[in-house]
Amino acid sequence: MLSGARILFEFSTTRAQFALPSDLVYLDGNSLGPLPRNAEARLQQTLNAEWGPMLIRGWNDAGWMGLPERVGDRIAPLIGALPGTVTMGDTLSLKLFQALSAALELRPDRRVVLSDSGNFPSDLYMADALLKRLGGGAELRIVEPEQVADALDDSVAVLMLTEVDFRTGRRHDMRALTAAARGCGAVTVWDLAHSAGAFPIALDACGADFAVGCTYKYLNGGPGAPAFIYVNPAIIDQVTPLLAGWLGHASPFDFSRDYEPAPGIGRMRVGTPAVLALQVLDAALDIWDGVPLADVQAQSIALSELFIREVEARCPDLTLGSPRDPRQRGSQVSFHCEHGYPVMQALIANGVIGDFRAPDGMRFGFTPLYLSEQDVRKSVDVLAQILSSRSWDQPRFHARARVT
């Protein structure tokens, strides 16, 4: 336990539940979570006890068809949502498209989607493409993160924001901005990609209308794990999905010609659920049972504050690129570095895994489920040595890989 930190939960119990190599420090769980030890057994059970002997009967006998809602109900408490308001499937970009298109339909007399320059590019691409096809003066209005509240007015149909900036970790005030949007009649769409599993979220209490998120980061669901979508129960029965898939139909196996949306959150389903991926995600969520998110946040702050102090004391050429106040950050820290890419590659080669975000950001995630104070101190030891020796300045570290 870090000095001065009041941690009620003993994270060594969760650390033991991950199959992490013993010779590295993993500071990239904000991009891809590590493998839960119970995932293999769950996958083997699905393959050998369900798909193998049951074949197509597994949709009924093993309950595969209900996985999106069952797993959604497990994610709901992690994002401050009520049971029956979250469902799973597809990718985050598709869920964002679903939420945004539904939100726009709720405000047909308005044509502006407001977002900020720190939003994840994929969200902006999806919004821009949708609005261009709508025509009629539909506009994606992008402002600086600090200007969002002032940019809200009665022309805005939808406020679409990622709560935590993927580059810097800067965190929006969800409660205040949701209230401000509601005050001017705008619908809110929140992207929780860097929030879910990092700190407590209060979607229902804040009055958020829509939220989406991925599950392969802090929730450890594996590469390409299915995304989630939340819809406020007060508006769900007003929502008409633009992606009107057959499993979002009220009676999909009637195979009727006309689309009738399912009641409640079920209408936000699209196609056949990815059963194997959902089973792995469901197994990963077992690790969260009994883990208080308030303690996760407190320990994340303690670890990240230690990291910042040590880096600033020992690596003077680096500049903090994240908010200084931990209450304004998610569970990640970025430092500006002129040679950030090769330095990060040298770190990875020496057993400390973070990642790089253009133009010059070295990004580090702090996930208390499996990180300790010792890990943080070791990572700064390695970083300081790489910088002082300039061992990063080798051709192999400058060569750009497809994924940075």
Side-chain angles (χ1 to χ4, degrees):
M1 183 186 299
L2 292 171
S3 176
R6 180 178 179 271
I7 305 302
L8 302 179
F9 186 81
E10 179 48 66
F11 286 103
S12 62
T13 62
T14 55
R15 197 170 301 126
Q17 297 181 59
F18 290 97
L20 274 165
S22 60
D23 59 347
L24 62 79
V25 177
Y26 192 63
L27 301 179
D28 210 13
N30 55 303
S31 191
L32 175 66
L35 173 66
R37 291 188 183 278
N38 64 345
E40 182 178 1
R42 178 67 67 86
L43 193 54
Q44 289 294 336
Q45 175 186 337
T46 305
L47 294 173
N48 298 328
E50 296 176 8
W51 182 14
M54 294 179 186
L55 297 168
I56 199 169
R57 293 172 298 172
W59 291 108
N60 290 319
D61 295 355
W64 293 344
M65 191 58 75
L67 274 171
E69 281 74 35
R70 290 204 306 276
V71 176
D73 278 346
R74 299 196 70 185
I75 287 175
L78 298 176
I79 58 175
L82 296 172
T85 62
V86 179
T87 193
M88 311 298 304
D90 317 301
T91 67
L92 174 52
S93 293
L94 290 180
K95 287 306 179 200
L96 185 281
F97 182 90
Q98 275 190 289
L100 179 59
S101 58
L104 283 165
E105 191 169 357
L106 294 174
R107 296 293 183 270
D109 56 330
R110 301 187 181 195
R111 310 299 290 169
V112 174
V113 173
L114 177 64
S115 192
D116 77 296
S117 58
N119 207 343
F120 193 68
S122 184
D123 291 17
L124 300 178
Y125 301 157
M126 298 295 282
D128 190 48
L130 173 61
L131 293 170
K132 284 177 178 176
R133 282 154 181 77
L134 290 177
E139 173 193 351
L140 175 59
R141 186 177 299 166
I142 300 173
V143 300
E144 294 302 305
E146 298 80 8
Q147 299 171 344
V148 170
D150 291 339
L152 282 165
D153 58 33
D154 60 9
S155 71
V156 176
V158 181
L159 175 63
M160 181 190 75
L161 295 172
T162 297
E163 185 181 16
V164 174
D165 187 306
F166 77 103
R167 286 193 180 94
T168 68
R170 181 193 187 277
R171 182 180 174 187
H172 279 299
D173 186 334
M174 179 188 288
R175 187 178 297 273
L177 288 174
T178 298
R182 187 177 295 272
C184 70
V187 180
T188 51
V189 175
W190 287 97
D191 183 336
L192 306 179
H194 290 273
S195 306
F199 49 77
I201 305 168
L203 288 178
D204 188 63
C206 288
D209 296 306
F210 295 87
V212 296
C214 57
T215 60
Y216 48 78
K217 300 181 189 294
Y218 298 103
L219 300 183
N220 311 299
F228 64 82
I229 185 167
Y230 159 89
V231 183
N232 190 306
I235 63 170
I236 184 59
D237 290 326
Q238 305 169 39
V239 170
T240 304
L242 180 58
L243 296 178
W246 78 297
L247 287 183
H249 195 284
S251 303
F253 285 91
D254 285 354
F255 302 110
S256 59
R257 171 65 183 80
D258 298 318
Y259 181 78
E260 178 187 349
I265 194 64
R267 68 184 56 197
M268 305 309 286
R269 291 178 62 164
V270 182
T272 306
V275 171
L276 301 181
L278 282 168
Q279 293 282 32
V280 170
L281 172 58
D282 190 45
L285 292 171
D286 289 347
I287 297 173
W288 285 96
D289 290 343
V291 178
L293 277 166
D295 287 5
V296 171
Q297 182 180 31
Q299 181 70 330
S300 169
I301 289 173
L303 293 170
S304 59
E305 289 288 278
L306 172 65
F307 183 78
I308 291 170
R309 288 195 305 271
E310 291 292 312
V311 169
E312 291 187 327
R314 302 177 60 189
C315 308
D317 291 338
L318 302 188
T319 304
L320 182 64
S322 299
R324 178 76 55 183
D325 184 346
R327 295 169 297 181
Q328 296 177 8
R329 293 196 306 263
S331 196
Q332 65 193 63
V333 170
S334 293
F335 275 91
H336 297 296
C337 177
E338 181 182 1
H339 305 287
Y341 183 81
V343 171
M344 182 56 72
Q345 298 312 302
L347 267 173
I348 293 170
N350 284 275
V352 177
I353 300 181
D355 60 22
F356 173 80
R357 291 295 177 261
D360 63 354
M362 296 172 62
R363 193 174 67 159
F364 305 90
F366 296 90
T367 44
L369 293 187
Y370 50 83
L371 286 176
S372 66
E373 176 183 0
Q374 181 181 359
D375 293 324
V376 171
R377 293 188 184 280
K378 178 181 177 180
S379 68
V380 181
D381 287 343
V382 176
L383 176 59
Q385 193 279 329
I386 286 170
L387 291 170
S388 64
S389 68
R390 291 185 61 89
S391 61
W392 56 266
D393 198 8
Q394 302 177 43
R396 63 186 176 119
F397 296 141
H398 287 271
R400 291 292 179 112
R402 186 170 182 177
V403 177
T404 64

